[in-house]
Amino acid sequence: MTPPEALLSARALTVKYPYGDVQNVVINELDLDLYPGQIVGLLGESGSGKSSLALALMGLARHPGIVSGEVNFRGKNLLKMDDEELRQIRGNSIGLITQKPRQALDPLVNVGKQISRVYRAHSQASKADAQVRAVELLRSVGINDAERRVNAFPHELSGGMAQRALISMALSVEPDLLIADEPTSGLDVTIQAQFLDRMWERARDANIAVLIVTQDLGIVANYCDRIVIMEDGKIIEDRLTADFFADPHTAYGKKLILASGAGTKSSNAEVAIATTPEILRVTDLRKTFEVEGGKRLQAVSKASFQIHKGRSLGLVGESGSGKTTVGRLILRLADPDSGEVWFKGERIDSISPKEFRKYRSKIQAVFQDPFDSLNPRWPIERVIREPLDLHTEMSKAEKAARVKELVSLVGLTDDILQLRPGSLSAGQQQRVSLARALATEPEFLILDEPTSALPPAARADMIRLLKSLQDRLDLCFIFISHDLSTVRELCHDIAVMYLSEIVEMGTSEQVFSAPSHPYTRALLDSVLFHDPSSRRVDRKIKAELEGEIPSPVDLPAGCYLAARCPMAEQRCRDDHQALIEIGPSRSVRCWKSVEASK
Amino acid sequence: MMRKRKIDPLLLIGLIIIAGSLFLAIFGNSLAPYDPQEPVGDFSMPPSADHWFGTDGSGLDVFSRVLAAPRVDVAIAVTAAIVSAVLGTGVGLYAGYFTGRFSEIVMRVSDILQSFPVFILAMVLVTLTGRNVVNLIFVLAFLYTPIFVRLTRSEVVTQRTRTYVEAARATGNSEFQIATRHVLRNSLAPSLVQLSVTVGFGILLTSGLSFVGAGVRPPTPEWGIMIASGAPNIILNEWWTSIFPGIAISITVFGYAAAGNAIERWARK
């Protein structure tokens, strides 16, 4: 697909920022063409100049930046235009979607008015027409109940809805070019999939050129026709997506493909059900939090599961599903409202915090935020040594030896020992956290999204490390994550959570090969495989969910998924669902799935 | 890309002045050319080669007294600032880490203390406890403690929610260990900045109290007393008795405040 003429073409585009006496070259002599109807994915590490390029293409690189070169849009150089001309072009022909949608919206004006303002600024429509158009636009990007939502203020919208309001604003003037800077970062996977599907459809239908800035190779593989990779302000690879995935030319491209593990959908193939002794048992765990107005938010409800020696449980769900709270309850970082936690036959949820400290050396944790998990004032050596100081009677020399052993166990070198956490990369920081957690040879670990804050390459390294440690140390852990492919790689068993409840449980193999609950199916469907030959948009979507996740403060009486579920019947809305066993170590919270499996 | 590290001139000036004031607090007496408490010549002599800053109404050498005064002013202010910083940081750490009734009470007491005009309260307290150096130190420390409580507490409250605190708990620290080993160290920066500024305030307050006759007693060499003793005679053109200690106060207070500001700016980078 090579359309005759580029819609936008940048030639020798350079952006520099003066920094003290030197000039920081952010974009260096860059050439780029964008064609109508083509979706281009712009990748690169943070600091490679991706976002700067997105802004420069719109003529938004401003003082104190120094811009040279050309950005021709339909043959006219944007960089030579005055503000008024640029404003016309920006509104009429180029739309921008930024990260952090809520910050891009005016908090004092309802979204309908914001959309119609943009629309009216660039067309002659009357106020009433613009309002009608706003409703149409909101509906077209998949917001149900659009008539009511136009009157909503930004704070009343979820992140996903705000992002969609923003895209409808950008689309309201029917632009020829849409620039989206990490439009789905911070969105949940099912919402991300809904959003990208809509954007893809709109771009196809209206022949819009789209530039998506992203870090996620999955988005590129699934939605982009062409991939552009930046490094140090230059384009190092610019090719059709399929070609790139077949044979990346540059080292960075190869690293990306390798990191994504494309094609290696390996898993823990043991279908076998656990026979080793039980380490942890959780029964009927429940936790609510008080929120403003005296209401209670239900974070975890009726959570029951057990973990056996040498096995790992993946706790999967979107934000707000309660998966992190389950981990915190087990770690006694929060106290459950009711329910029991048993560790090797001893009940540990009702003992005093002081008594619980004895178990700390046996139950350890790694948290999501790599930097924030480490005391910023302590050298790494002290961080890793801390659990040894607290729980062992080792001599100084023994501790020093153990620290060194741990450092090499997690793939780091001794020279970081005297550094502070701030001078390590996120990947290294997370390894330090892991070394600290392993110091006392715990019998059980809680890994709370240890990979999700890491850049793609570091994430792949971390997963590889966990996998090798799992084999070598016979680790037993709960892995909390929203990333299904990671869970599949690391975990024997899986529990899928939705709005405070476990909706499906089973071995990895069972759940991945034959997902039963509609939510599990939708979740699996929204995984963006790093493989352009199995794109989500080409698949026939079997279990697409609609709309938004309900608020955990006002939960519906029936099944929590009923409002979004394509299979829902009246019975689903009326009766709350119980977790029903449908096979050995396999259960599901959906009567229709249970009936279908009989 | 490394930015060139330039030393903040404000910090440099501040540190030089602080070092000078501490030096005088220790050695000022021995450097003084005359005994600062004994009349050494005629009354009210203007500055001359023998008496650089002149003599005052009692025939005391003004230069010697200016040099000797830091032993009182700076010593009181520094001691009071350190006592209040230690006390305030400790209480602030406790009140911030263990929120509850104690924390509420501490904050309300701080509110009450801080709502009084410092100077008036200091006068009342010194009058009640008796005018001597030790009492002055305690009064100043008592008055400045709420500042440190507040600063430390607000920092502790934000630090407490950081993941490293959670991680420390999961690692097996007791709450006391988390508070003292982890949170305290990360909550000290604002108090360190405030410490320097507080010494400046303390010098002003000490000399101010002496000026109105509520501080240390004459003939102790002290800048506030000196200004007070010279003040009535300024209209007789005897400017030197008051001007020199006044300049000394200004420079010293400026030095401590400048250092405090420079440290704050550096810490924020």
Side-chain angles (χ1 to χ4, degrees):
Chain A
M1 185 171 73
T2 319
E5 205 182 331
L7 179 67
L8 178 141
S9 59
R11 290 288 170 269
L13 179 63
T14 303
V15 178
K16 298 176 195 164
Y17 286 95
Y19 193 76
D21 303 334
V22 283
Q23 286 190 334
N24 198 354
V25 183
V26 180
I27 294 171
N28 193 358
E29 303 265 320
L30 178 140
D31 297 338
L32 179 70
D33 292 304
L34 299 176
Y35 301 97
Q38 194 183 47
I39 301 181
V40 178
L42 178 60
L43 273 103
E45 271 172 14
S46 50
S48 59
K50 304 187 298 276
S51 294
S52 302
L53 177 63
L55 291 178
L57 290 181
M58 288 192 77
L60 283 172
R62 277 299 157 90
H63 186 78
I66 302 160
V67 187
S68 61
E70 290 177 19
V71 177
N72 292 312
F73 183 75
R74 293 223 176 92
K76 278 197 223 154
N77 188 353
L78 288 180
L79 302 180
K80 292 267 153 58
M81 286 182 188
D82 62 35
D83 284 354
E84 182 52 31
E85 274 179 291
L86 209 50
R87 195 180 70 84
Q88 287 293 332
I89 294 262
R90 252 185 237 143
N92 288 329
S93 313
I94 307 182
L96 176 71
I97 304 173
T98 56
Q99 245 169 314
K100 298 190 185 142
R102 236 175 296 209
Q103 287 177 19
L105 292 169
D106 182 342
L108 295 176
V109 181
N110 71 44
V111 284
K113 218 175 252 173
Q114 294 195 47
I115 297 169
S116 45
R117 267 185 197 168
V118 174
Y119 183 54
R120 274 161 48 80
H122 299 285
S123 70
Q124 306 305 318
S126 72
K127 265 191 181 169
D129 287 348
Q131 187 74 5
V132 173
R133 177 102 176 105
V135 175
E136 276 169 26
L137 279 163
L138 284 178
R139 200 176 294 127
S140 76
V141 291
I143 291 184
N144 40 12
D145 202 7
E147 288 83 358
R148 206 163 58 85
R149 292 294 184 191
V150 283
N151 296 316
F153 286 89
H155 72 269
E156 298 173 294
L157 302 177
S158 68
M161 242 191 282
Q163 190 63 285
R164 276 180 276 175
L166 216 57
I167 189 179
S168 49
M169 215 184 284
L171 292 173
S172 70
V173 290
E174 287 165 359
D176 304 310
L177 169 65
L178 188 63
I179 296 176
D181 187 0
E182 308 214 18
T184 57
S185 68
L187 297 190
D188 277 312
V189 279
T190 57
I191 306 290
Q192 162 176 299
Q194 284 174 18
F195 168 78
L196 288 172
D197 286 352
R198 299 288 178 191
M199 195 170 89
W200 188 82
E201 278 164 26
R202 287 299 308 255
R204 275 291 117 94
D205 295 349
N207 207 30
I208 301 171
V210 182
L211 181 72
I212 305 180
V213 181
T214 181
Q215 295 238 36
D216 183 350
L217 210 54
I219 293 179
V220 177
N222 280 274
Y223 297 98
C224 298
D225 306 303
R226 205 174 112 206
I227 179 168
V228 172
I229 300 179
M230 281 186 76
E231 196 174 85
D232 295 334
K234 283 186 177 152
I235 290 175
I236 54 167
E237 193 149 354
D238 179 355
R239 306 168 61 202
L240 294 180
T241 306
D243 296 349
F244 170 78
F245 276 88
D247 171 33
H249 283 170
T250 52
Y252 179 71
K254 288 196 176 92
K255 203 170 95 188
L256 273 180
I257 297 274
L258 198 70
S260 76
T264 61
K265 287 168 200 153
S266 69
S267 65
N268 284 300
E270 300 165 56
V271 190
I273 290 141
T275 49
T276 48
E278 180 184 288
I279 295 285
L280 190 89
R281 167 184 291 271
V282 167
T283 46
D284 260 335
L285 219 50
R286 182 183 161 80
K287 176 72 182 175
T288 58
F289 295 103
E290 194 170 316
V291 292
E292 263 173 71
K295 288 185 172 177
R296 296 203 80 84
L297 178 152
Q298 180 172 310
V300 176
S301 174
K302 302 182 218 83
S304 302
F305 53 81
Q306 54 269 358
I307 300 162
H308 295 259
K309 191 164 173 29
R311 287 179 79 90
S312 51
L313 172 72
L315 214 49
V316 184
E318 294 176 281
S319 61
S321 62
K323 53 190 192 308
T324 295
T325 308
V326 169
R328 289 171 47 88
L329 292 175
I330 296 170
L331 287 165
R332 278 299 283 278
L333 297 173
D335 289 322
D337 295 359
S338 61
E340 295 171 10
V341 182
W342 296 77
F343 175 70
K344 295 176 82 181
E346 290 168 76
R347 192 167 166 189
I348 56 169
D349 61 284
S350 47
I351 57 176
S352 74
K354 204 178 161 197
E355 277 177 272
F356 191 84
R357 244 183 286 146
K358 282 190 305 209
Y359 294 94
R360 296 274 186 211
S361 65
K362 303 281 165 220
I363 305 174
Q364 286 278 336
V366 176
F367 299 93
Q368 179 172 2
D369 188 325
F371 174 69
D372 213 40
S373 309
L374 308 172
N375 185 336
R377 309 241 169 216
W378 280 16
I380 303 305
E381 187 269 335
R382 190 167 173 199
V383 170
I384 300 178
R385 180 164 48 85
E386 189 185 23
L388 302 175
D389 289 339
L390 290 167
H391 299 290
T392 68
E393 304 290 321
M394 287 182 180
S395 70
K396 260 194 171 169
E398 285 171 327
K399 281 180 194 161
R402 176 73 180 143
V403 168
K404 283 195 172 162
E405 190 186 336
L406 286 162
V407 166
S408 72
L409 187 67
V410 297
L412 294 171
T413 47
D414 288 358
D415 49 351
I416 60 146
L417 284 177
Q418 296 316 317
L419 300 177
R420 305 223 173 219
S423 32
L424 302 186
S425 72
Q428 288 174 317
Q429 287 166 354
Q430 205 58 307
R431 281 158 193 263
V432 170
S433 275
L434 186 62
R436 170 176 62 186
L438 293 172
T440 51
E441 299 182 334
E443 296 183 54
F444 181 71
L445 282 173
I446 290 195
L447 308 174
D448 185 1
E449 307 226 26
T451 57
S452 52
L454 304 180
R459 185 182 309 160
D461 287 344
M462 189 73 188
I463 293 166
R464 226 168 289 139
L465 172 66
L466 284 171
K467 211 164 159 50
S468 83
L469 290 177
Q470 192 177 22
D471 295 341
R472 274 196 285 167
L473 307 177
D474 201 23
L475 290 179
C476 174
F477 58 82
I478 289 185
F479 188 89
I480 299 168
S481 179
H482 62 261
D483 179 7
L484 287 159
S485 40
T486 311
V487 170
R488 185 174 195 178
E489 230 173 298
L490 284 172
C491 300
H492 302 96
D493 303 298
I494 281 187
V496 180
M497 289 189 75
Y498 179 72
L499 271 177
S500 79
E501 291 182 333
I502 294 178
V503 294
E504 181 161 3
M505 250 189 331
T507 66
S508 276
E509 209 41 50
Q510 288 169 339
V511 174
F512 276 101
S513 58
S516 177
H517 196 280
Y519 178 70
T520 315
R521 292 219 293 273
L523 206 56
L524 282 173
D525 247 342
S526 32
V527 173
L528 302 177
F529 291 113
H530 297 179
D531 178 2
S533 62
S534 75
R535 299 198 303 177
R536 177 180 153 86
V537 283
D538 301 329
R539 266 180 271 158
K540 200 168 155 48
I541 311 290
K542 288 164 296 210
E544 194 181 9
L545 295 181
E546 286 177 348
E548 297 287 319
I549 304 173
S551 150
V553 179
D554 289 307
L555 286 167
C559 172
Y560 295 160
L561 190 68
R564 300 175 73 195
C565 180
M567 294 165 48
E569 291 179 16
Q570 194 53 44
R571 184 176 157 192
C572 302
R573 291 180 200 103
D574 294 342
D575 302 337
H576 193 73
Q577 302 292 304
L579 196 64
I580 302 164
E581 207 155 295
I582 55 167
S585 82
R586 179 148 167 78
S587 39
V588 64
R589 198 184 286 278
C590 173
W591 66 274
K592 289 195 90 169
S593 310
V594 173
E595 266 177 21
S597 73
K598 270 177 188 162
Chain B
M1 239 170 292
M2 286 290 289
R3 209 188 302 197
K4 267 185 249 163
R5 283 235 171 236
K6 267 188 259 169
I7 294 175
D8 190 340
L10 200 61
L11 181 66
L12 197 67
I13 294 171
L15 289 180
I16 289 172
I17 294 172
I18 291 176
S21 76
L22 294 176
F23 179 79
L24 287 182
I26 300 167
F27 300 109
N29 249 347
S30 358
L31 288 176
Y34 301 95
D35 185 332
Q37 301 208 30
E38 289 294 326
V40 288
D42 293 338
F43 307 138
S44 309
M45 293 285 291
S48 63
D50 283 344
H51 303 285
W52 290 357
F53 291 177
T55 62
D56 70 359
S58 318
L60 304 172
D61 180 50
V62 175
F63 181 63
S64 300
R65 285 173 69 76
V66 167
L67 288 188
R71 170 152 298 179
V72 178
D73 284 305
V74 175
I76 290 178
V78 167
T79 318
I82 290 174
V83 170
S84 58
V86 171
L87 208 67
T89 307
V91 174
L93 176 66
Y94 190 90
Y97 194 78
F98 303 99
T99 46
R101 183 173 293 174
F102 175 79
S103 173
E104 271 310 298
I105 293 172
V106 165
M107 293 323 289
R108 295 299 80 80
V109 171
S110 298
D111 285 344
I112 293 167
L113 277 181
Q114 289 193 296
S115 63
F116 282 108
V118 178
F119 195 78
I120 308 284
L121 194 57
M123 268 169 60
V124 173
L125 289 173
V126 173
T127 316
L128 287 178
T129 53
R131 291 165 57 189
N132 63 50
V133 172
V134 176
N135 284 346
L136 258 175
I137 289 175
F138 277 116
V139 167
L140 258 60
F142 179 69
L143 290 175
Y144 291 138
T145 300
I147 301 174
F148 290 97
V149 172
R150 210 171 276 282
L151 280 172
T152 309
R153 183 180 169 276
S154 68
E155 190 64 27
V156 169
V157 166
T158 52
Q159 291 292 331
R160 204 165 55 115
T161 60
R162 300 263 310 261
T163 315
Y164 74 82
V165 171
E166 199 112 282
R169 198 167 291 136
T171 303
N173 287 281
S174 67
E175 294 304 309
F176 180 76
Q177 286 169 323
I178 298 173
T180 52
R181 289 189 196 171
H182 291 274
V183 176
L184 177 61
R185 184 66 208 284
N186 284 293
S187 309
L188 280 182
S191 295
L192 286 177
V193 172
Q194 183 63 33
L195 184 63
S196 182
V197 177
T198 302
V199 173
F201 284 156
I203 291 170
L204 268 184
L205 189 55
T206 311
S207 50
L209 286 172
S210 321
F211 181 82
V212 299
V216 287
R217 293 168 195 275
T220 317
E222 198 283 332
W223 290 329
I225 294 174
M226 295 169 69
I227 297 175
S229 75
N233 299 332
I234 284 189
I235 45 165
L236 303 175
N237 233 349
E238 277 178 31
W239 50 271
W240 55 89
T241 339
S242 297
I243 286 288
F244 289 113
I247 292 173
I249 292 178
S250 311
I251 292 176
T252 317
V253 173
F254 167 77
Y256 281 95
N261 284 334
I263 295 169
E264 192 185 8
R265 245 192 288 172
W266 173 77
R268 241 192 271 135
K269 264 182 203 163

